[in-house]
Amino acid sequence: PWEGSDWGLAGLAIALTFLGGLVIRSTQLNQDYAEWWQHWLTGGVGVALMLWCARGRYQNLYDWHWWIYGVTCLSLLAVRFVGTSALGAQRWINVAGFHVQPSEFAKLGLIIVLAALLADRPADRLASIFRTLAIIAVPWGLVFIQPDLGTSLVFGAIAFGMLYWANARSNWLILMISPLVSAILFEALRWAWPIWLGVVAWNAWKSLPWQRLGTSLALGVNVLAGLVSGFLWEHVLHDYQRDRLILFLDPNKDPLGGGYHLIQSRIAIGAGGFWGQGLTQGTQTQLRFIPEQHTDFIFSAIGEELGFLGSMAVVTICFLICWRLVVIAQTAKDDFGSLLAIGTLAMLLFQMVINISMTIGLGPVTGIPLPWVSYGRSAMLTNFLALGIVEAVYRARYRVRR
């Protein structure tokens, strides 16, 4: 029943899961609890779900995409009323003694819904883009107010990647992110803000209908974004979110507070050298200098204990997974399957890049896990389910070729 599956892709994900369990065990060796075996157990359940999805017909998801959207929004809404809190955020629902994070499964739900919508109406028209943004707005808002800045950014990456694959013009994609860029430049690089407004005006004039009206609206939105950026920064974002977004540029400004994670992470990775200090031998890891090292900062433990060689092995596996997803998207038998593969690619690639970047000091701390390596039941199951759907897309191509 699994004839024609991409076993190489599945094997790469399983390899990351196995490595993640080993590193998690090392990070918790001197603690009074152990979650590494749960990581492997969840991985086993995820593999079973992947195989179950791989043998099915992914086209059935198209018929159910509005139901999936409704369940996704309701589950995120339920977090506001019956959710449990941890680490200053309310993101989980207790189901039979297990903490389930609906926002993780919402990523997959969003991919399915957008794939169905964009397969019907490609993003070569502004109406299709506006409809896509409207569909995203509800789950994105529910995730943002949890608050979960990291997952809300993943939602944006998924939408951006899928719109690009669905033939959205590059000028329109630039205009989509332009208000965010304007808000950042207005606060951080005021001199560059007028230059950016010129770029926005040129893109709007070249790509939007009703050139004068479209350009005026684009400029108005960007000017407004810049003017209200200060209010949003002070009154919408939480203190820890503001620290995460700016301290990666100079973590020594607050070495015992918001910059502590980044400083200790860089020390750990640098101490690993080329070969690493060996599993269970890393001083930063074993003495617990790095907070959340079995989840968000697990790449720091890999860098210290497995060294540059182990770190590059993880990066290489991540690259191969993304490459296989691109190949499957290019060779899918229909647009719906191709968009499912690209949505999965956007979700995984964004998380991989952001997680690794933040541990080496090239990006802000966002609480985004490293797929299949970081501990997290909901994230693990979501990743395997997405991979199972992609495997079904690949198998459908194989059946058509036969």
Side-chain angles (χ1 to χ4, degrees), residues 253-374:
K253 287 183 177 180
D254 189 11
L256 299 179
Y260 179 80
H261 296 65
L262 296 170
I263 294 173
Q264 297 302 323
S265 176
R266 290 192 299 186
I267 292 173
I269 293 175
F274 186 81
W275 299 104
Q277 299 184 17
L279 277 175
T280 74
Q281 302 300 315
T283 53
Q284 294 287 111
T285 299
Q286 299 307 315
L287 296 177
R288 301 167 62 182
F289 281 101
I290 307 171
E292 306 299 331
Q293 58 186 351
H294 68 301
T295 53
D296 299 343
F297 281 86
I298 196 166
F299 193 78
S300 305
I302 293 173
E304 182 181 30
E305 299 195 338
L306 301 181
F308 176 79
L309 196 62
S311 301
M312 287 308 300
V314 171
V315 172
T316 301
I317 293 175
C318 291
F319 169 79
L320 291 175
I321 289 174
C322 294
W323 171 68
R324 286 305 307 162
L325 290 172
V326 172
V327 171
I328 293 172
Q330 289 178 325
T331 57
K333 74 171 189 175
D334 57 25
D335 290 341
F336 180 56
S338 180
L339 286 163
L340 287 173
I342 282 298
T344 301
L345 169 67
M347 175 183 71
L348 295 176
L349 178 61
F350 183 79
Q351 293 180 105
M352 291 169 178
V353 171
I354 295 299
N355 181 274
I356 294 175
S357 296
M358 75 180 185
T359 59
I360 61 179
L362 294 180
V365 179
T366 56
I368 293 177
L370 183 60
W372 291 293
V373 183
S374 298

Side-chain angles (χ1 to χ4, degrees), residues 42-382:
T42 306
V45 175
V47 170
L49 291 173
M50 178 185 67
L51 294 175
W52 176 70
C53 290
R55 65 178 296 176
R57 296 182 70 255
Y58 70 91
Q59 293 91 342
N60 294 334
L61 296 173
Y62 180 88
D63 299 327
W64 289 88
H65 69 273
W66 284 122
W67 289 97
I68 293 171
Y69 181 76
V71 171
T72 297
C73 293
L74 287 176
S75 65
L76 293 173
L77 188 62
V79 174
R80 300 294 301 170
F81 299 100
V82 297
T84 58
S85 300
L87 301 176
Q90 188 171 341
R91 304 173 186 170
W92 295 267
I93 295 178
N94 195 313
V95 179
F98 294 96
H99 284 174
V100 177
Q101 190 172 354
S103 60
E104 289 292 339
F105 297 102
K107 299 173 187 176
L108 181 55
L110 187 66
I111 291 172
I112 295 171
V113 173
L114 293 186
L117 294 177
L118 294 173
D120 277 346
R121 299 180 184 177
D124 55 357
R125 296 179 179 272
L126 283 175
S128 179
I129 291 183
F130 287 139
R131 185 179 69 157
T132 300
L133 296 179
I135 293 298
I136 295 172
V138 177
W140 182 89
L142 291 172
V143 169
F144 185 79
I145 62 177
Q146 288 182 358
D148 191 348
L149 179 61
T151 302
S152 62
L153 292 175
V154 177
F155 278 20
I158 291 171
F160 196 86
M162 296 182 72
L163 284 171
Y164 171 79
W165 197 255
N167 293 327
R169 296 177 61 173
S170 57
N171 306 74
W172 295 346
L173 296 177
I174 292 173
L175 292 175
M176 277 178 53
I177 64 171
S178 62
L180 177 61
V181 177
S182 288
I184 295 173
L185 292 179
F186 188 84
E187 293 297 323
L189 296 172
R190 186 70 61 86
W191 61 268
W193 187 56
I195 300 175
W196 175 249
L197 292 180
V199 173
V200 170
W202 183 84
N203 276 279
W205 184 265
K206 288 292 184 180
S207 62
L208 294 179
W210 304 295
Q211 290 178 322
R212 293 183 180 179
L213 177 61
T215 303
S216 299
L217 288 175
L219 281 174
V221 170
N222 277 267
V223 170
L224 181 63
L227 295 178
V228 303
S229 58
F231 174 82
L232 296 176
W233 181 261
E234 294 293 335
H235 298 91
V236 175
L237 294 179
H238 295 259
D239 291 339
Y240 76 92
Q241 290 176 330
R242 293 197 294 269
D243 290 341
R244 287 179 172 183
L245 289 174
I246 61 175
L247 281 176
F248 82 96
L249 298 172
D250 186 8
N252 291 312
K253 287 183 177 180
D254 189 11
L256 299 179
Y260 179 80
H261 296 65
L262 296 170
I263 294 173
Q264 297 302 323
S265 176
R266 290 192 299 186
I267 292 173
I269 293 175
F274 186 81
W275 299 104
Q277 299 184 17
L279 277 175
T280 74
Q281 302 300 315
T283 53
Q284 294 287 111
T285 299
Q286 299 307 315
L287 296 177
R288 301 167 62 182
F289 281 101
I290 307 171
E292 306 299 331
Q293 58 186 351
H294 68 301
T295 53
D296 299 343
F297 281 86
I298 196 166
F299 193 78
S300 305
I302 293 173
E304 182 181 30
E305 299 195 338
L306 301 181
F308 176 79
L309 196 62
S311 301
M312 287 308 300
V314 171
V315 172
T316 301
I317 293 175
C318 291
F319 169 79
L320 291 175
I321 289 174
C322 294
W323 171 68
R324 286 305 307 162
L325 290 172
V326 172
V327 171
I328 293 172
Q330 289 178 325
T331 57
K333 74 171 189 175
D334 57 25
D335 290 341
F336 180 56
S338 180
L339 286 163
L340 287 173
I342 282 298
T344 301
L345 169 67
M347 175 183 71
L348 295 176
L349 178 61
F350 183 79
Q351 293 180 105
M352 291 169 178
V353 171
I354 295 299
N355 181 274
I356 294 175
S357 296
M358 75 180 185
T359 59
I360 61 179
L362 294 180
V365 179
T366 56
I368 293 177
L370 183 60
W372 291 293
V373 183
S374 298
Y375 179 80
R377 298 189 189 97
S378 298
M380 175 77 77
L381 295 178
T382 298

